[in-house]
Amino acid sequence: MPLQDKYRIAILSAYALALHGFEALLPSPVPWLRFGISNIITLTALVMFGFRTAMMITLIRVVLGSIFSGTFLGPAFMLSLGGGLAGTIAMGAVLSISRNIFGPVGLSLIGAFFHNAAQLFFAYLLFIRRIEAVLFISPVILLIGTLTGFANGLVADILIKNLLKNEQDSIQNVARA
Amino acid sequence: MKKAIRNTTIADRILFLLLIVTSIAGLVYTREAFSLGSDVLVEVNGKPVYTLALDVNTEISIEGTDGRTVLEIKNNKVRMREADCSNQTCVKQGWISKGTIVCLPNNIVVIVGSRSKKDIDAITG
């Protein structure tokens, strides 16, 4: 792995972890509702630096985030890991098929959907074991996930546009010098 | 933010609408199909005495601290039909489908609540 990639992964993971920690402080009407704002970083990394970088960031965020919140290797960690991996893999797969069909918003929606689907699946396997309870809650989670995914996608879109613009500006500056 | 919304591709918008429509349809459907129903909880002197299903028609008499009352459940509604007390407030309250009926002289509280479990299994990080 090139050195530059390591730096990128380190700094982006730090951003993702900070957002993850910040999110835990936000008041929420129901404890399981989370906005998933750290997915903004995953998505930005995926679009700009590729799947491997995004995957590393997700893994680092989930593992370190759970260590900081004291849930490492617990059942909540399994849900978090399953959801994080499923969301990142789904977004990476869609992006690898085509870069033009879906923009960041669409990718974020897909990521949110697969994140929630995986979490529901693991929740069913690990704790609930009652399919009607899972079916009962899934439309609520799908709706919330779609709304938060949409908002995160918009933020990621703005972030990516600005980062690309900065990159082009710096390239032009280098060329001019 | 407006610019970002304008930047979305057609597929993005279709996906968004599709997910919203699916989830709302699912929401309506599951509320109809898997209605968990409500329970009628009867407490006497602060202790739970009976838990009854709201969708099963029954009639029970409850021994309060100062006499007895008769609770009737019919068509997903509850009422206190008779009470051995002077003010008859609980009887006058009539049929309810949610909320509480309180019979103060007898220390009886009837609570109609959702049967869904409110406990949390875990919070993911």
Side-chain angles (χ1 to χ4, degrees):
Chain A
M1 194 179 280
L3 193 61
Q4 206 188 4
D5 277 5
K6 285 185 187 167
Y7 285 140
R8 268 182 195 145
I9 289 169
I11 200 155
L12 287 168
S13 302
Y15 283 141
L17 260 174
L19 288 176
H20 183 89
F22 170 69
E23 190 183 58
L25 300 175
L26 289 176
S28 151
V30 273
W32 43 261
L33 190 153
R34 294 179 71 94
F35 295 96
I37 48 179
S38 57
N39 195 41
I40 293 168
I41 303 295
T42 312
L43 181 54
T44 307
L46 181 70
V47 173
M48 293 190 68
F49 309 117
F51 181 68
R52 274 172 56 120
T53 310
M55 203 61 181
M56 281 303 290
I57 291 167
T58 306
L59 286 172
I60 291 170
R61 173 181 63 78
V62 170
V63 172
L64 285 184
S66 67
I67 287 174
F68 292 157
S69 60
T71 56
F72 185 56
L73 294 183
F77 169 77
M78 302 297 175
L79 291 189
S80 193
L81 184 69
L85 290 182
T88 310
I89 291 170
M91 291 193 294
V94 171
L95 197 67
S96 72
I97 292 165
S98 164
R99 292 191 80 89
N100 299 322
I101 299 175
F102 291 110
V105 174
L107 287 172
S108 178
L109 289 172
I110 290 163
F113 175 79
F114 279 93
H115 179 99
N116 287 328
Q119 285 210 329
L120 279 172
F121 176 70
F122 282 111
Y124 172 71
L125 281 186
L126 293 171
F127 327 94
I128 308 177
R129 282 280 165 195
R130 280 170 53 218
I131 195 72
E132 72 275 10
V134 173
L135 288 175
F136 192 70
I137 197 74
S138 52
V140 184
I141 290 178
L142 181 63
L143 183 64
I144 295 170
T146 304
L147 296 175
T148 59
F150 185 73
N152 289 338
L154 289 180
V155 177
D157 189 54
I158 294 167
L159 185 60
I160 292 164
K161 291 260 152 50
N162 280 303
L163 286 172
L164 287 175
K165 212 176 87 191
N166 283 353
E167 210 166 72
Q168 277 167 1
D169 286 353
S170 60
I171 290 167
Q172 277 170 0
N173 287 342
V174 169
R176 233 178 274 140
Chain B
M1 203 46 106
K2 265 185 195 161
K3 218 173 121 192
I5 291 172
R6 230 179 299 134
N7 274 336
T8 53
T9 66
I10 294 165
D12 288 348
R13 292 174 199 185
I14 291 171
L15 182 67
F16 179 66
L17 288 178
L18 199 72
L19 285 170
I20 292 283
V21 169
T22 313
S23 56
I24 290 173
L27 214 62
V28 173
Y29 175 74
T30 51
R31 289 300 171 276
E32 298 261 318
F34 303 99
S35 172
L36 289 174
S38 297
D39 274 343
V40 180
L41 180 72
V42 180
E43 288 182 356
V44 178
N45 226 349
K47 292 189 192 81
V49 179
Y50 298 104
T51 307
L52 306 159
L54 191 60
D55 44 12
V56 180
N57 297 347
T58 51
E59 213 180 286
I60 57 159
S61 95
I62 306 159
E63 201 64 53
T65 51
D66 198 31
R68 65 171 53 236
T69 60
V70 177
L71 186 81
E72 188 180 4
I73 301 177
K74 201 175 174 185
N75 300 330
N76 287 312
K77 282 183 176 154
V78 191
R79 72 161 172 176
M80 206 66 102
R81 208 178 65 190
E82 289 165 28
D84 285 348
C85 62
S86 52
N87 58 20
Q88 300 284 310
T89 309
C90 51
V91 177
K92 282 177 200 146
Q93 197 178 342
W95 295 99
I96 64 161
S97 56
K98 59 181 173 188
T100 52
I101 300 174
V102 179
C103 178
L104 216 50
N106 284 318
N107 252 319
I108 296 172
V109 181
V110 177
I111 304 163
V112 185
S114 164
R115 200 178 292 164
S116 66
K117 212 171 74 163
K118 288 269 156 58
D119 304 336
I120 295 150
D121 288 322
I123 298 170
T124 65

